[in-house]
Amino acid sequence: MTRPNTRSAWWRLGRLITGVLAAVGFVGACDLQNIAELEPGVSTEADVREKFGQPEAVWEGEEGAQIYEYNRQPEGVVNYMVTIGADGVLVKVSQVLTEENFAKVQPGMPLEQVRRLLGKPRKVQTFPLNGETHQDWRFQAKGQTEPMIFSVAFDKDLRVIKTGTMPDPDLQKR
């Protein structure tokens, strides 16, 4: 029986992790460039779609506006909501995975309202024995260097029962 070359395995794993992190950083850099090229009050829906592509979801906004969801989960640390006015012109671009938005998630809130506030989660787990569903979003906390996880637990009726923040367990495994 031959023994695997552990140095080679660690080297390949390191290259894989570096490649993934570079890809995530590249997506983030592209987003920042695309956002910088859009101008509220001037850029159009077509400009937004040219820069960001097809939205993950489209939500109804106030006064006929539409809100486009651009998800960067599971590997990213942001989700964007782009508001297009009823006239088809860009109103604003918001990064929604913030501690301020997390504080808005309250017990009793329905799942769809949480999704509209935060965008698509990076991970969904259902626990049939206790009837709970947990959804997680990866985000970058202010002043932190490592990504964190914001987690929401829903009851069997898909209403919030509790929330929490923790270090990203995927980073703990390395």
Side-chain angles (χ1 to χ4, degrees):
M1 176 195 293
T2 60
R3 185 172 169 201
N5 182 340
T6 35
R7 175 177 271 187
S8 176
W10 281 110
W11 182 81
R12 284 192 307 272
L13 178 61
R15 285 194 53 175
L16 174 65
I17 290 170
T18 302
V20 168
L21 291 175
V24 169
F26 181 70
V27 168
C30 288
D31 280 344
L32 294 176
Q33 178 66 35
N34 287 337
I35 291 168
E37 292 174 3
L38 295 172
E39 187 176 344
V42 175
S43 299
T44 65
E45 173 188 6
D47 297 330
V48 170
R49 287 180 181 265
E50 179 183 319
K51 298 289 183 195
F52 285 94
Q54 183 72 19
E56 176 80 27
V58 178
W59 303 94
E60 295 290 324
E62 295 178 10
E63 299 177 12
Q66 290 189 320
I67 301 168
Y68 291 3
E69 176 185 326
Y70 289 100
N71 179 329
R72 298 301 183 246
Q73 303 289 299
E75 299 304 325
V77 293
V78 297
N79 277 348
Y80 296 105
M81 296 291 181
V82 178
T83 305
I84 306 293
D87 59 357
V89 175
L90 174 67
V91 175
K92 67 179 178 176
V93 178
S94 301
Q95 194 295 97
V96 296
L97 298 182
T98 65
E99 294 174 61
E100 294 79 19
N101 276 348
F102 299 153
K104 294 176 185 176
V105 179
Q106 296 295 313
M109 183 182 280
L111 181 139
E112 185 172 316
Q113 192 175 352
V114 174
R115 168 72 191 271
R116 184 176 175 149
L117 179 65
L118 302 178
K120 183 177 178 182
R122 74 180 289 265
K123 185 177 180 182
V124 177
Q125 286 184 286
T126 303
F127 300 95
L129 292 178
N130 68 3
E132 290 183 7
T133 299
H134 292 209
Q135 295 191 357
D136 296 343
W137 290 262
R138 176 181 277 143
F139 74 102
Q140 190 73 45
K142 290 178 184 172
Q144 298 290 319
T145 57
E146 297 289 332
M148 301 285 287
I149 298 295
F150 177 70
S151 187
V152 179
F154 297 91
D155 64 16
K156 62 181 174 42
D157 297 322
L158 299 178
R159 294 196 170 272
V160 174
I161 52 176
K162 61 186 173 184
T163 66
T165 302
M166 64 185 148
D168 187 339
D170 291 343
L171 297 177
Q172 307 301 314
K173 294 176 186 174
R174 290 196 260 169

